[in-house]
C-alpha cells in the first residue's frame, strides 16, 4: 500500500465511524488527569466563584421566602379561590421535568447502547438529583402546614388514618420519592469507581479519608466489575419505566380531574416528551459553560452537543404535535367548555404566556434542523434558554388558564404572582445552581471509568463484542468482521 | 491467611501481584492463570474490560434473581399496603369509589416494586462484592494505585490451594509484559 493511500484511510475511517467520542489524542492516564484535576486544583476558575456567589445568594433568598411563607401562610402568594395552584405547582412540574433528561441519558440511552452518553451522563444525573430536590420542595411548602407533611406517607399517626391511595396526588408522593431514591442510587453507584480514582490520587489526608470513605474500598476487581455491571444494567432497566411513570403520574394530577384543558388522555406521553425536551435544554445550558471552564472539550465534543440538539429537536417536535392535537381534540370533541378553554388560552388574558410558550417550544428549536446551528455555541445557548422559558410557561399556561376560567363564569378569577412568588422561583434556580456548582467542584463530573471503556485502549475491537452493545459505526472494522463486508485495502 | 508463606522481609504474604500495561496482555495472562487452575485470584482494571469474564472463567452473577425476587415482593408489599390501609384498617368513603380497586392502585404498586428492586440491585451488588471493605492488603502496593487509573493487574492470593511462591511467581513472570511483586498481608 502506498503512503498516500495510508494517509487517506483516517478520512475514510472518520466517515464510517463518525467523529471519535474522545478527541485530541487522549490516553487513559490523560482522561484521569483531565477529570480529576478539576477537583484537585486548589482553586476553581474565577467564573466559578462569581456563579457560586450569585447562586448561593439566590438560594438564601429561597429559604428566606420559605420562612416567610411558613410564618404568614400561603396568602403571601398570588393564589386565590379559583386559581388554587399557581407558581408552586408550575415550579414543581417544571423541575421534575428537568430531571427527566438526566435519567434518559443515564438509563434509556444506556439500554439503547448509545456510547456517546458516557461523557455526559454524570452531569445529567447530578442535574436530575438537584432538579428533583427543587421539585420536591414545592408540593411540600404549598400544602400550607408543612409540619404535618408526614400525613402524606403511610406512617401510623395520631389520627389513626391512612393516606387515600385512590388520589393521584398521593401517587405523586410515591412516584417522586421513588424517583429521587433510585436516581440517587444510580448516580452514586456510577460514581464509586471514580471516587476510588480520586482516593488513589489524593495528596491530603482529608481527601483520602472522604474519597476513601465514599468509594467503599473499591479496587477495580473484575469479579466486582462483573456484578457492578449487572447491577448497573438492572438499575437502568428499572429507571427507564420509572422515569416514564413519574411524569405520567404528574400528568395524572391534571388528567384525572374534570377541569377543562386538564381532562385529556394525551397528557401522559405529552408530559414525558416535554420533560425530556426541557431537561435536555437544561443539560445543554449546564454543559456548555462547564466544558469551557474546566477544559473538557476533548471529552464533551461537538458531536455530543450535536446529538443533544437533535434530541431537543425531536422532543420539541413531539411537544408541538401534542399542542396541535390538544387544540384539534378540543374542537373535534364538540365540548363547548374544551373549545372555550383553548380559544381562551390563545386569545384570552394569558395569551402572552401561551404565545411565549409556542414561540420558545415549537418555533425556536426548528433552528436545529440546520447543522450550522446545531454546532454553534451561541445558537445552542439561545435555544436552551428559550426552551427552559418555554417549558416553564407551558406548565403555567396549563395550570393557570384552566383554573382561572373553569365551568361557571361567576366563579372566574385571575392569577397575578406576588413578589414572593417571583422570589421563590428565582430562589429555586439559586438552590439548583448552588448544588450543581458544588458538584462541579468536589465530585468527578465526567464518568472516568465509563469514558475509558469506550476508548481505543479498551480494545473493544479485539473480538465481536457482546458486552454493552454492538457499537456499530464506532469500532473500526467490526462491521466487516461480523458481516463480511467489503475488504478495504488496509 | 494461613501464614504458610512469607515475603522476602519475613512478613506474612498476601499474594503476588502482576502489572500489565494493556488490555490484550491482561486478557492473555488471565487465560493462562485460569488454565493453570487457580481459584483465589482476581484481575483489577480501571474500567470494566469486556471479554475478561470469559478469560477468567467467572460464573454469571445471581444478582438478577435477587432483584427479581425483590421486585415481586415489592408488588405484593405495594398491593398489601393499599388494600390493608384503605380497605381493612380504615375504610375511607370517598365519592362512592370502591374501597379496593386495582386500577387506582397500580401506580403506587409499580413505584413500590421499582423501589424494592432498585434497592436490591444496589445493596445486593455491594453485598455480593463484599463491599464496603475499607481495608485490603492490595492497598499496600504503591503500584496498585494505578489500578484505578491506567494499569491492569492480576493478583493471586497466597491462600489459593495451588499457590506456591516460586511456581506461581514463575507463571506470572512468564506472562507477556508482566511486572511481578509480592504483597504483604
Amino acid at each position: 500500500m502506498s503512503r498516500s493511500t495510508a494517509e487517506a484511510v483516517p478520512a475514510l475511517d472518520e466517515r464510517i465511524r463518525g467523529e471519535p467520542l474522545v478527541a485530541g489524542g487522549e490516553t487513559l492516564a490523560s482522561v484521569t488527569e483531565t477529570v480529576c484535576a478539576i477537583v484537585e486544583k486548589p482553586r476553581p476558575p474565577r467564573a466559578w466563584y462569581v456563579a457560586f456567589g450569585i447562586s448561593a445568594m439566590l438560594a438564601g433568598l429561597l429559604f428566606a421566602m420559605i420562612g416567610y411563607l411558613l410564618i404568614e401562610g400561603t396568602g403571601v402568594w398570588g393564589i386565590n379561590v379559583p386559581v388554587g395552584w399557581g407558581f408552586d405547582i408550575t415550579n414543581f412540574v417544571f423541575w421534575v421535568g428537568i430531571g427527566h433528561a438526566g435519567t434518559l441519558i443515564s438509563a434509556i440511552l444506556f439500554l439503547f447502547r448509545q456510547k456517546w452518553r458516557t461523557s455526559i451522563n454524570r452531569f445529567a444525573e447530578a442535574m436530575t438529583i438537584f432538579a428533583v430536590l427543587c421539585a420536591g420542595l414545592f408540593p411540600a411548602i404549598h400544602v400550607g402546614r408543612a409540619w404535618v407533611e408526614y400525613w402524606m406517607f403511610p406512617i401510623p399517626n395520631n389520627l389513626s388514618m391512612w393516606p387515600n391511595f385512590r388520589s393521584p396526588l398521593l401517587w405523586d408522593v410515591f412516584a417522586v420519592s421513588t424517583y429521587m431514591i433510585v436516581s440517587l442510587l444510580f448516580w452514586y453507584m456510577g460514581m464509586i469507581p471514580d471516587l476510588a480514582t480520586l482516593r488513589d490520587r489524593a495528596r491530603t489526608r482529608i481527601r483520602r479519608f472522604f474519597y476513601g470513605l465514599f468509594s467503599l474500598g473499591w479496587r477495580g476487581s473484575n469479579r466486582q466489575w462483573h456484578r457492578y455491571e449487572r447491577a448497573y444494567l438492572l438499575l437502568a432497566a428499572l429507571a427507564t419505566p420509572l422515569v416514564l411513570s413519574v411524569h405520567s403520574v404528574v400528568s395524572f394530577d391534571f388528567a384525572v380531574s374534570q377541569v377543562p384543558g386538564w381532562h385529556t388522555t394525551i397528557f401522559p406521553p405529552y408530559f414525558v416528551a416535554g420533560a425530556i425536551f426541557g431537561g435536555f435544554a437544561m443539560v445543554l445550558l449546564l454543559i456548555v459553560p462547564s466544558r469551557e471552564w474546566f477544559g473538557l472539550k476533548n471529552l464533551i465534543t461537538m458531536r455530543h452537543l450535536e446529538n443533544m440538539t437533535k434530541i431537543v429537536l425531536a422532543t420539541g417536535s413531539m411537544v408541538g404535535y401534542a399542542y396541535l392535537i390538544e387544540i384539534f381534540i378540543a374542537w373535534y370533541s364538540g365540548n363547548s367548555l374544551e373549545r372555550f378553554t383553548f380559544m381562551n388560552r390563545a386569545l384570552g388574558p394569558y395569551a402572552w404566556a401561551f404565545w411565549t410558550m409556542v414561540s420558545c417550544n415549537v418555533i425556536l428549536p426548528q433552528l436545529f434542523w440546520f447543522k450550522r446551528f446545531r454546532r454553534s455555541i451561541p445558537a445552542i445557548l439561545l435555544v436552551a434558554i428559550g426552551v427552559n422559558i418555554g417549558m416553564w410557561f407551558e406548565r403555567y399556561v396549563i395550570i393557570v388558564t384552566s383554573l382561572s376560567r373553569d365551568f361557571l363564569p361567576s366563579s372566574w378569577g385571575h392569577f397575578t404572582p406576588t413578589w414572593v412568588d417571583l422570589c421563590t422561583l428565582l430562589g429555586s434556580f439559586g438552590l439548583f445552581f448552588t448544588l450543581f456548582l458544588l458538584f462541579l467542584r468536589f465530585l468527578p463530573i465526567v464518568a472516568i471509568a465509563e469514558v475509558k471503556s469506550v476508548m481505543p485502549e479498551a480494545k473493544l475491537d479485539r473480538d465481536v463484542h457482546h458486552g454493552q452493545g454492538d457499537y456499530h459505526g464506532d469500532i473500526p472494522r467490526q462491521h466487516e468482521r461480523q458481516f463480511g463486508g467489503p475488504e478495504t485495502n488496509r | 491467611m494461613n501464614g504458610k508463606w512469607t515475603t522476602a522481609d519475613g512478613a506474612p504474604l498476601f499474594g503476588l501481584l502482576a502489572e500489565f500495561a494493556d488490555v490484550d496482555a491482561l486478557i492473555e495472562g488471565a487465560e493462562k492463570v485460569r488454565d493453570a487452575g487457580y481459584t483465589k485470584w482476581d484481575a483489577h482494571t480501571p474500567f470494566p474490560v469486556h471479554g475478561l469474564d470469559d478469560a477468567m472463567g467467572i460464573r454469571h452473577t445471581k444478582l438478577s434473581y435477587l432483584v427479581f425476587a425483590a421486585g415481586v415482593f415489592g408488588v405484593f408489599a405495594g398491593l398489601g399496603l393499599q388494600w390493608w390501609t384503605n380497605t381493612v384498617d380504615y375504610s375511607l368513603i370517598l365519592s362512592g369509589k370502591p374501597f379496593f380497586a386495582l386500577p387506582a392502585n397500580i401506580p403506587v404498586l409499580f413505584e413500590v416494586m421499582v423501589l424494592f428492586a432498585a434497592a436490591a440491585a444496589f445493596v445486593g451488588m455491594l453485598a455480593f462484592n463484599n463491599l464496603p471493605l475499607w481495608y485490603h492488603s492490595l492497598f499496600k502496593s504503591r503500584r496498585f494505585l494505578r489500578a484505578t487509573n491506567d494499569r491492569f493487574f492480576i493478583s493471586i492470593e497466597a491462600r489459593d490451594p495451588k499457590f506456591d511462591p516460586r511456581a506461581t511467581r514463575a507463571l506470572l513472570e512468564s506472562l507477556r509484559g508482566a511486572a511481578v511483586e509480592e504483597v504483604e498481608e
Side-chain angles (χ1 to χ4, degrees):
Chain A
M1 168 192 332
S2 73
R3 192 172 157 71
S4 60
T5 331
E7 277 168 356
V9 167
L12 175 70
D13 231 29
E14 184 121 319
R15 260 210 336 270
I16 298 171
R17 290 155 60 192
E19 283 163 68
L21 286 165
V22 177
E26 297 264 358
T27 62
L28 295 179
S30 76
V31 169
T32 313
E33 183 61 37
T34 310
V35 181
C36 294
I38 298 169
V39 294
E40 286 168 352
K41 263 188 216 131
R43 274 188 188 74
R46 191 183 299 268
W48 185 91
Y49 282 106
V50 175
F52 185 76
I54 296 171
S55 309
M57 275 196 293
L58 291 178
L61 180 69
L62 173 72
F63 290 112
M65 289 302 112
I66 292 175
Y68 182 54
L69 174 86
L70 292 182
I71 293 166
E72 289 290 322
T74 46
V76 298
W77 287 346
I79 50 175
N80 50 47
V81 165
V83 192
W85 284 357
F87 268 36
D88 45 2
I89 302 300
T90 304
N91 295 343
F92 162 67
V93 182
F94 172 77
W95 281 118
V96 175
I98 295 292
H100 281 45
T103 320
L104 182 101
I105 292 172
S106 60
I108 300 181
L109 295 187
F110 178 77
L111 296 183
F112 282 119
R113 324 286 202 210
Q114 293 296 309
K115 276 199 309 168
W116 59 274
R117 70 181 263 293
T118 54
S119 301
I120 54 169
N121 66 344
R122 181 66 48 71
F123 255 81
E125 286 167 30
M127 182 191 78
T128 297
I129 310 276
F130 305 142
V132 176
L133 210 68
C134 288
L137 201 63
F138 285 98
I141 59 176
H142 106 121
V143 295
R145 287 188 290 161
W147 47 94
V148 291
E149 214 85 78
Y150 63 94
W151 288 358
M152 293 194 285
F153 294 93
I155 300 167
N157 59 46
N158 53 347
L159 301 173
S160 302
M161 272 174 75
W162 296 104
N164 169 24
F165 283 102
R166 286 157 287 175
S167 160
L169 299 181
L170 194 74
W171 305 345
D172 243 6
V173 173
F174 277 77
V176 175
S177 36
T178 301
Y179 185 44
M180 178 77 202
I181 294 168
V182 174
S183 303
L184 203 59
L185 288 180
F186 203 31
W187 184 55
Y188 177 58
M189 201 180 96
M191 217 153 38
I192 292 174
D194 295 348
L195 291 172
T197 303
L198 282 167
R199 170 200 66 200
D200 289 347
R201 290 168 53 96
R203 295 254 178 276
T204 64
R205 283 184 82 84
I206 189 153
R207 299 181 76 90
R208 198 172 305 144
F209 177 77
F210 280 107
Y211 290 124
L213 184 68
F214 288 107
S215 59
L216 306 178
W218 181 262
R219 48 186 193 280
S221 137
N222 193 53
R223 294 175 197 276
Q224 293 179 344
W225 275 123
H226 173 75
R227 300 186 188 99
Y228 175 92
E229 287 212 286
R230 176 56 44 169
Y232 200 88
L233 178 69
L234 288 165
L235 279 180
L238 289 164
T240 298
L242 175 67
V243 70
L244 301 181
S245 86
V246 172
H247 229 58
S248 300
V249 167
V250 169
S251 81
F252 290 162
D253 293 347
F254 306 98
V256 170
S257 80
Q258 307 280 319
V259 179
W262 287 8
H263 187 67
T264 59
T265 48
I266 201 178
F267 262 23
Y270 153 42
F271 267 50
V272 171
I276 290 165
F277 175 55
F280 262 89
M282 188 61 100
V283 181
L284 281 169
L285 196 60
L286 295 171
I287 235 164
V288 166
S290 307
R291 74 196 269 276
E292 193 77 42
W293 294 348
F294 297 116
L296 293 174
K297 287 186 180 168
N298 284 341
L299 300 183
I300 303 165
T301 62
M302 262 305 171
R303 175 175 167 192
H304 292 95
L305 297 184
E306 195 182 347
N307 283 355
M308 285 190 272
T309 60
K310 286 177 184 168
I311 293 186
V312 167
L313 178 62
T315 47
S317 307
M318 290 180 208
V319 168
Y321 171 76
Y323 294 165
L324 283 177
I325 285 293
E326 267 194 314
I327 292 168
F328 170 74
I329 292 294
W331 167 76
Y332 188 66
S333 68
N335 181 324
S336 55
L337 293 164
E338 286 285 330
R339 282 186 184 185
F340 168 76
T341 299
F342 281 90
M343 288 304 281
N344 180 54
R345 273 187 194 172
L347 306 169
Y350 296 102
W352 60 275
F354 179 84
W355 292 109
T356 308
M357 163 188 110
V358 170
S359 356
C360 289
N361 290 350
V362 185
I363 299 168
L364 194 58
Q366 303 307 322
L367 281 181
F368 287 157
W369 284 106
F370 305 100
K371 195 174 182 113
R372 258 186 82 178
F373 293 113
R374 289 200 301 266
R375 292 184 153 254
S376 139
I377 296 285
I380 290 176
L381 283 178
L382 174 77
V383 176
I385 293 171
V387 169
N388 273 301
I389 294 171
M391 285 308 294
W392 189 87
F393 272 105
E394 179 192 301
R395 282 68 178 242
Y396 184 78
V397 165
I398 292 173
I399 292 172
V400 173
T401 60
S402 293
L403 287 176
S404 67
R405 295 278 185 278
D406 65 358
F407 305 97
L408 277 180
S410 61
S411 61
W412 284 357
H414 193 85
F415 173 83
T416 318
T418 62
W419 64 274
V420 183
D421 278 318
L422 294 167
C423 290
T424 311
L425 170 61
L426 201 61
S428 71
F429 277 91
L431 177 64
F432 176 77
F433 283 110
T434 304
L435 293 170
F436 199 82
L437 287 161
L438 288 174
F439 158 73
L440 289 182
R441 181 72 189 115
F442 293 108
L443 292 172
I445 62 176
V446 171
I448 307 172
E450 283 195 49
V451 168
K452 286 176 185 166
S453 73
V454 301
M455 290 174 67
E457 281 87 342
K459 300 286 169 70
L460 290 171
D461 57 340
R462 67 186 305 287
D463 208 350
V464 174
H465 187 70
H466 297 296
Q468 293 183 21
D470 45 19
Y471 299 93
H472 286 311
D474 276 315
I475 300 173
R477 296 181 298 285
Q478 192 204 22
H479 196 268
E480 292 100 284
R481 235 180 303 116
Q482 212 167 349
F483 302 107
E487 287 292 317
T488 56
N489 60 349
R490 271 172 287 167
Chain B
M1 307 265 170
N2 52 21
K4 210 156 78 181
W5 313 108
T6 53
T7 62
D9 313 333
L13 183 68
F14 166 77
L16 291 171
L17 185 68
E19 179 184 319
F20 300 87
D22 71 80
V23 169
D24 289 339
L26 173 80
I27 289 185
E28 269 178 48
E31 282 166 350
K32 290 195 175 120
V33 175
R34 173 196 68 193
D35 294 342
Y38 288 93
T39 47
K40 305 264 186 264
W41 67 289
D42 213 333
H44 304 267
T45 58
F47 54 86
V49 172
H50 293 285
L52 190 53
D53 290 350
D54 288 341
M56 286 179 67
I58 294 180
R59 268 182 307 171
H60 208 69
T61 173
K62 302 252 186 308
L63 189 64
S64 312
Y65 299 105
L66 178 77
V67 172
F68 179 74
V72 171
F73 180 76
V75 167
F76 287 105
L79 204 59
L81 171 76
Q82 297 180 79
W83 170 76
W84 187 75
T85 55
N86 277 193
T87 311
V88 179
D89 192 48
Y90 197 106
S91 333
L92 212 53
I93 300 170
L94 278 161
S95 330
K97 291 174 190 165
F99 293 127
F100 184 73
L102 196 57
N105 296 140
I106 294 291
V108 170
L109 181 155
F110 174 79
E111 303 300 339
V112 175
M113 177 203 71
V114 169
L115 182 65
F116 276 61
F122 180 74
V123 176
M125 183 278 286
L126 290 183
F128 288 172
N129 276 344
N130 207 5
L131 293 175
L133 184 71
W134 284 285
Y135 173 79
H136 197 274
S137 301
L138 285 173
F139 292 143
K140 284 188 181 168
S141 161
R142 296 281 313 161
R143 279 180 170 176
F144 193 70
L145 290 176
R146 290 178 76 175
T148 54
N149 180 6
D150 62 343
R151 283 288 188 271
F152 306 87
F153 294 86
I154 287 178
S155 63
I156 303 182
E157 293 180 30
R159 66 197 170 100
D160 190 297
K162 287 209 67 171
F163 188 86
D164 172 82
R166 243 167 313 188
T168 306
R169 192 176 187 112
L171 169 71
L172 287 176
E173 277 172 350
S174 75
L175 303 177
R176 182 165 65 86
V180 183
E181 68 172 32
E182 289 178 321
V183 180
E184 276 179 33
E185 181 68 47

